[in-house]
Structure formats: structure tokens, C-alpha cells
Amino acid sequence: AARAKVLQAPAKAEYSVDVPPGITSLDLDVIKLTAQFVARNGKTFLTGLTSREHSNPQFNFLKPTHSMFAFFTSLADAYSKVLMPPKGLAEQLKKDEDKSALLERALQRLEWDRTQEAAKKQEDDELERERDAMAMIDWHDFVVVESIDFFDEEDEDLPMPLTLRDVVTQLRDAEAEMGAEGAAAGTADE
């Protein structure tokens, strides 16, 4: 029988950033160019630019409360890594001269992405089925069959309500009994 291949999560893509949907090409170009300048010139450039352009709506993405701020900082970080690569990257790139290993990693990432997308689609489909099932219920079709009245004199026959501590204690005792019964059954089988 063929064994199912166990997929491992690939290393995080350090040099690529997903573009958020709905961004205009002009805004994307401004954010990319600004991120490149920040990566090249550092945080002092960013501070100066932020103070100089604080009233310019084209640069609102520099404000931490803006929806594009996270995208901008991710781009600036990625550009910084490209401009100032970490130590050991040259050795890693030499290892990548072996095209078959590089292709294998790319295929593994593709396979991982496809399984993640399939799992998300399956989860979304399940939620949609649950929503459909809830929508199909006619909530106005329920009828009260009978009502039960409790009288004050019946309270004496009822046990006292359990506290959370009592419930936890009972649960632990039941688990201990189940474990003891399982161990006894295991020794009896031998």
C-alpha cells in the first residue's frame, strides 16, 4: 500500500510580500518606492519623511493606524534583507546551484500551499453547509408541548447544586476509575 506523504511546512518566504487586495497601482508604486528608500536610508529617513508628509494623504500609510502600514513595513523589511543580506546567505545560494534541490523545494512549497488551500476550502465549505442547515430550520414552526411547574415544597427533594470544584472533582474521579479499569483490563488480557 502506498503511504501518504507527510508534508512539512516550508520555510517562511522572507523576500516576498503579498499585495493586499483593493490597492491602486499608484498607491502600490508609492508604497514600494517609499519602502525601498526606507530600506536604503534607514529609520531616520522614515522619521523625517513621516514628519514632512504628515498632512499628505498619499503618505497616510506611514501612520501605524492605517490599513496599509503593515504591508509597508513588511515591504521595507524585505527590501532591507535584500540590500543587507544576512551572513551565510552566500553559502545557501551556492547550495542552490543544484537545480534539482531547488526544484524539489519549490515543488514542496507548491504542494504545501495547495494542501493549505484545500484545507481552508474544506473548512469554508463546512461552515457554509452549517449556515445552510441553520437557514433551513423554520424557527417559527416550534410548538410548546408541555410546561413543567416546580413548587416550593418540591425543592426539598432536589439535591443541592454542584459547585465548579465538585464537578471537577467528580470528573477527575471518573477519569481515575476509567484509567484503573483500563489498566486492569490490560493486565487481564496478558
Side-chain angles (χ1 to χ4, degrees), residues 117-179:
E117 287 175 15
K120 180 163 178 27
K121 184 178 180 342
Q122 184 178 4
E123 186 177 311
D124 290 347
D125 289 348
E126 181 64 33
L127 285 172
E128 185 64 31
R129 279 194 295 275
E130 188 174 318
R131 264 191 237 112
D132 289 345
M134 291 300 280
M136 292 175 68
I137 296 174
D138 185 5
W139 294 102
H140 300 288
D141 198 25
F142 287 94
V143 177
V144 175
V145 177
E146 185 179 354
S147 59
I148 302 173
D149 295 321
F150 290 100
F151 300 103
D152 288 337
E153 59 271 2
E154 291 179 325
D155 286 350
E156 296 167 3
D157 298 337
L158 297 174
M160 289 297 294
L162 297 176
T163 64
L164 179 60
R165 180 177 290 158
D166 295 336
V167 172
V168 169
T169 303
Q170 286 181 359
L171 184 62
R172 285 185 185 151
D173 292 345
E175 287 175 350
E177 284 180 27
M178 296 277 287

Side-chain angles (χ1 to χ4, degrees), residues 24-170:
T24 64
S25 60
L26 176 64
D27 288 340
L28 180 61
D29 289 343
V30 169
I31 291 172
K32 281 183 174 180
L33 194 58
T34 306
Q36 290 172 12
F37 272 93
V38 168
R40 179 83 173 118
N41 301 318
K43 299 289 181 189
T44 54
F45 173 78
L46 177 62
T47 306
L49 181 67
T50 304
S51 63
R52 194 171 50 249
E53 300 294 338
H54 70 88
S55 60
N56 186 346
Q58 191 74 51
F59 288 91
N60 278 345
F61 64 88
L62 296 174
K63 297 175 183 171
T65 56
H66 195 272
S67 62
M68 292 294 161
F69 180 76
F71 172 62
F72 165 71
T73 54
S74 298
L75 266 180
D77 292 343
Y79 287 140
S80 295
K81 289 176 185 174
V82 169
L83 292 173
M84 296 169 274
K87 294 178 182 175
L89 186 63
E91 291 82 27
Q92 176 67 33
L93 291 174
K94 284 183 182 176
K95 288 180 188 175
D96 285 344
E97 287 179 3
D98 176 19
K99 302 296 185 215
S100 62
L102 186 62
L103 181 61
E104 183 64 33
R105 276 204 333 260
L107 288 173
Q108 179 189 4
R109 180 174 295 278
L110 175 67
E111 210 172 320
W112 173 262
D113 288 346
R114 283 184 178 165
T115 51
Q116 294 301 307
E117 287 175 15
K120 180 163 178 27
K121 184 178 180 342
Q122 184 178 4
E123 186 177 311
D124 290 347
D125 289 348
E126 181 64 33
L127 285 172
E128 185 64 31
R129 279 194 295 275
E130 188 174 318
R131 264 191 237 112
D132 289 345
M134 291 300 280
M136 292 175 68
I137 296 174
D138 185 5
W139 294 102
H140 300 288
D141 198 25
F142 287 94
V143 177
V144 175
V145 177
E146 185 179 354
S147 59
I148 302 173
D149 295 321
F150 290 100
F151 300 103
D152 288 337
E153 59 271 2
E154 291 179 325
D155 286 350
E156 296 167 3
D157 298 337
L158 297 174
M160 289 297 294
L162 297 176
T163 64
L164 179 60
R165 180 177 290 158
D166 295 336
V167 172
V168 169
T169 303
Q170 286 181 359

